[in-house]
Amino acid sequence: MTKPDVCTTPGYSFRQRTNSDVEGCELVLEVGDTVGGRALRRWAEIALQALEERRHEINTLNVFPVPDGDTGTNLVLTLQSAVENIGGPVDGALTASDVSERLARGAFLGARGNSGVIVAQALRGVADAVAGHTTIDGRGLADALRRASKLVMKALSTPEEGTIVSVLEAAAEGAEKAARSTDTTVCDVTVAAADAAADALQQTPAQLDVLAEAGVVDAGGLGLVILLDCLVEITTGQRPQRRLQITRTPAPPVAASSGDRLSAPRTETQQDYEVMYVVERAEPEDIDVLRVRLDALGDSVAVVGDGAGSWSVHVHCCDPGAAVEAGLAAGSLIRIDITCFALGATNDGDCAVPSHTPAAVVPRRTPATGERAVLAVVAGHGARELFESEGASVLHVDTDFGPGRLLDAVRALPSGDVLVLPNGSLPAQDVVAVGAQARSENRNVMFLPSSSMVQGLAALAVHDPGRATVDDAFAMSEAAAAVRWGSLRVARERALTWVGQCEPGDSLGLSGHDVVVIEHDLVAAGVALLDKILAAGGELVTMLVGADAPAGLAEQLTEHLDHRHPALEVVVYRGGQRSDLLQLGVE
């Protein structure tokens, strides 16, 4: 790279000097060829601006470790938190040590995503290396980058070649090589580090198959090169203009059709959630145990320290609750954030954004207004008509249903207050993720504990729009919880249950989600199931007949109830659901 004769960065100037021992010419800072606190502050500011300008570009390159298209956004949020934490005077009174420590602390607290955590840990390494120093010279910069690389490698359970980790390691090696010369300036070290990082970035597709297949370089690695190029601008006055050589035009982030799981083919190891939190008041040995537990739960595990007894944790997993519980076993948790990748794919190409995301980075949707609504998730046309007749807004689903469709349905409602009856349509962690995302968009959403449509009907029966939202939600939740429910199904394969082994074609009676009856005859299974559920008493039995139920099933079961429990009231509806031949509830 050709160095300029005049620095273009406001507040800085350079002079040209020649040296017979060095080819060409060098530029050195008139203030002593070092980087001080004011220069570091300026670097962070222009780096944040550069990342924001190229956020979408970085997002489109994001295919590893998950193709959620949010690396650029996460880097912006992380560095934004770092810059906001600098504070203090702007007249140069802050030293390099002061600014680097504040940058590291701010990035630690605001780290977002895998790349954000890595950058925060790299800044921690820089802060540790320059602690107590007023300025940073070339040798000090090389030491800081080496310290950053070592800390990052230590923080990751399984560092991957071809990622931001490789790019950072190359930058440290380039800086160390340049710093060996006695005449090396901070400009030389900075340029060498940035050039080495750019070369390493270009090699990432050859190191990671998923990048080669997508025809892109590593997204996080590009973000790091941008940060280093901005440091070059601070020390030389000119930012390098680089062109990436890739095999084809990067594809846009993978979007989920109809809001379901990511439409890319799912692998056995693909995780559904990104979990992040900060652990406080934990002993080092507890953190070691936490890392082992997280490695068993998922991948992309990063546990980074702030140097003051707190640790930022990042993991991709299928069970976010277990990941949080692992953290609670280690210490006190703050800043817990759970992102569902499937929901992130529905959010305008970027990953789901936490509630503290600045509106300037990702625009918020306009919050809804109006009266409270009840949204019920139902299967079957008969059930749909039934819930609509009771005043609910209905999301009619079939077997192909994901959390994104539920989030879209909540967004489509004109009401600011929404009570949702999920009716067992999604796992609990998906429901939690949808609620968190909806609330981050300024919607007052409450999910009620209805695990079946018969419980949803009971809750809807006591709904009163004239009550306060929390009171209405409590009454509806209590009504749902009072319903004991079960279902009849036919076994599709051999399986071991609580009551023995079932064979394909066997009739199964389930109480809640557990098999409690296995029979060869469907009516016999229904009779046995009813008797078991009614053993604790009951006054009303509600039956929802499925689309594939044999003719006369509900009538035969009603006849049994009339004979065995004559005081019971029985109500039968044609639900038309495909999941159960018959769903029943007892109140």
Side-chain angles (χ1 to χ4, degrees):
M1 187 190 81
T2 302
K3 299 175 184 177
D5 292 338
V6 179
C7 175
T8 58
T9 305
Y12 299 89
S13 61
F14 295 85
R15 61 181 173 83
Q16 182 175 335
R17 73 182 172 100
T18 60
N19 190 315
S20 59
D21 298 326
V22 181
E23 278 192 24
C25 62
E26 292 178 334
L27 296 173
V28 295
L29 285 164
E30 288 186 334
V31 294
D33 192 30
T34 58
V35 175
R38 188 178 180 189
L40 277 183
R41 176 199 290 272
R42 178 59 180 157
W43 164 75
E45 292 170 347
I46 68 171
L48 176 58
Q49 180 181 0
L51 286 176
E52 176 59 40
E53 290 172 352
R54 301 182 67 177
R55 179 176 69 89
H56 178 69
E57 176 189 353
I58 299 173
N59 283 343
T60 61
L61 298 176
N62 181 197
V63 298
F64 181 85
V66 288
D68 49 355
D70 68 346
T71 295
T73 301
N74 288 339
L75 288 173
V76 168
L77 295 177
T78 301
L79 197 59
Q80 183 176 58
S81 178
V83 171
E84 290 174 351
N85 196 57
I86 295 177
V90 297
D91 58 359
L94 288 176
T95 66
S97 177
D98 295 332
V99 175
S100 60
E101 177 60 35
R102 297 186 187 194
L103 285 172
R105 180 61 180 171
F108 173 85
L109 293 174
R112 296 291 308 157
N114 199 49
S115 295
V117 168
I118 291 173
V119 167
Q121 188 70 342
L123 289 174
R124 168 49 51 197
V126 171
D128 290 348
V130 303
H133 293 274
T134 302
T135 60
I136 309 172
D137 60 10
R139 180 69 258 178
L141 178 59
D143 291 342
L145 288 174
R146 173 52 62 195
R147 174 67 174 166
S149 180
K150 287 182 177 179
L151 275 188
V152 167
M153 294 291 286
K154 183 179 179 181
L156 303 178
S157 292
T158 54
E160 288 277 357
E161 281 195 346
T163 65
I164 186 175
V165 179
S166 301
V167 177
L168 178 59
E169 173 64 18
E173 291 179 357
E176 287 180 329
K177 184 176 180 180
R180 294 190 188 114
S181 172
T182 56
D183 292 328
T184 300
T185 67
V186 71
C187 302
D188 297 318
V189 173
T190 305
V191 171
D195 286 348
D199 290 341
L201 176 65
Q202 195 63 66
Q203 297 304 314
T204 54
Q207 296 172 303
L208 207 54
D209 289 343
V210 66
L211 300 180
E213 293 170 1
V216 298
V217 296
D218 180 66
L222 174 58
L224 180 60
V225 169
I226 292 172
L227 296 181
L228 291 171
D229 280 347
C230 288
L231 189 57
V232 171
E233 179 177 345
I234 288 296
T235 58
T236 71
Q238 180 174 305
R239 191 181 308 177
Q241 300 299 313
R242 307 187 190 275
R243 292 183 180 274
L244 297 177
Q245 301 297 320
I246 56 178
T247 59
R248 66 173 176 81
T249 303
V254 177
S257 59
S258 301
D260 295 326
R261 301 287 184 193
L262 293 175
S263 57
R266 184 178 180 85
T267 65
E268 290 297 323
T269 58
Q270 184 173 323
Q271 310 296 351
D272 293 326
Y273 297 89
E274 178 183 62
V275 180
M276 295 186 65
Y277 50 77
V278 173
V279 185
E280 295 183 323
R281 295 189 292 276
E283 299 297 329
E285 54 268 26
D286 295 326
I287 296 300
D288 292 338
V289 173
L290 172 60
R291 185 191 296 276
V292 172
R293 294 186 64 182
L294 294 177
D295 284 338
L297 285 172
D299 53 37
S300 296
V301 175
V303 182
V304 304
D306 69 343
S310 296
W311 286 264
S312 179
V313 174
H314 174 279
V315 62
H316 292 168
C317 62
C318 289
D319 189 346
V324 172
E325 289 175 1
L328 289 171
S332 301
L333 303 189
I334 62 172
R335 301 179 67 86
I336 300 173
D337 190 86
I338 300 174
T339 299
C340 176
F341 293 130
L343 295 185
T346 69
N347 192 20
D348 298 330
D350 289 326
C351 195
V353 180
S355 57
H356 55 269
T357 300
V361 177
V362 179
R364 292 194 179 277
R365 299 175 187 271
T366 304
T369 58
E371 297 181 356
R372 179 164 70 253
V374 176
L375 175 64
V377 183
V378 302
H381 293 288
R384 176 178 187 168
E385 294 176 359
L386 182 59
F387 275 85
E388 286 178 339
S389 68
E390 294 294 326
S393 298
V394 169
L395 172 57
H396 184 245
V397 302
D398 48 27
T399 56
D400 184 21
F401 175 61
R405 285 188 61 192
L406 180 53
L407 179 61
D408 287 342
V410 171
R411 288 169 170 165
L413 291 172
S415 303
D417 287 343
V418 182
L419 301 179
V420 181
L421 296 168
N423 295 338
S425 58
L426 291 173
Q429 56 263 34
D430 283 353
V431 171
V432 171
V434 172
Q437 178 64 22
R439 284 187 289 274
S440 76
E441 298 172 6
N442 297 330
R443 296 177 182 275
N444 184 21
V445 178
M446 297 180 66
F447 284 80
L448 307 185
S450 59
S451 299
S452 62
M453 287 192 290
V454 287
Q455 288 184 316
L457 284 173
L460 196 56
V462 299
H463 166 55
D464 182 356
R467 284 190 295 231
T469 300
V470 291
D471 295 335
D472 197 26
F474 176 81
M476 294 175 70
S477 298
E478 190 175 45
V483 176
R484 302 189 303 280
W485 69 281
S487 59
L488 289 178
R489 301 177 184 175
V490 174
R492 296 183 179 180
E493 57 187 20
R494 177 180 295 179
L496 185 62
T497 75
W498 287 108
V499 291
Q501 183 170 287
C502 67
E503 301 291 338
D506 281 347
S507 298
L508 306 179
L510 287 78
S511 178
H513 299 290
D514 297 323
V515 175
V516 296
V517 173
I518 301 176
E519 294 283 355
H520 295 300
D521 179 74
L522 186 60
V523 175
V527 167
L529 177 63
L530 282 167
D531 288 344
K532 284 181 178 292
I533 295 180
L534 286 167
E539 299 177 352
L540 171 66
V541 174
T542 301
M543 297 186 190
L544 284 179
V545 182
D548 299 324
L553 174 62
E555 288 77 6
Q556 293 179 73
L557 294 180
T558 300
E559 184 178 346
H560 166 75
L561 291 174
D562 289 342
H563 175 71
R564 185 72 179 268
H565 306 278
L568 279 176
E569 180 182 355
V570 180
V571 180
V572 179
Y573 299 106
R574 300 292 170 179
Q577 69 276 8
R578 295 286 181 181
S579 56
D580 304 315
L581 297 178
L582 186 79
Q583 191 175 114
L584 58 91
V586 175
E587 302 176 56

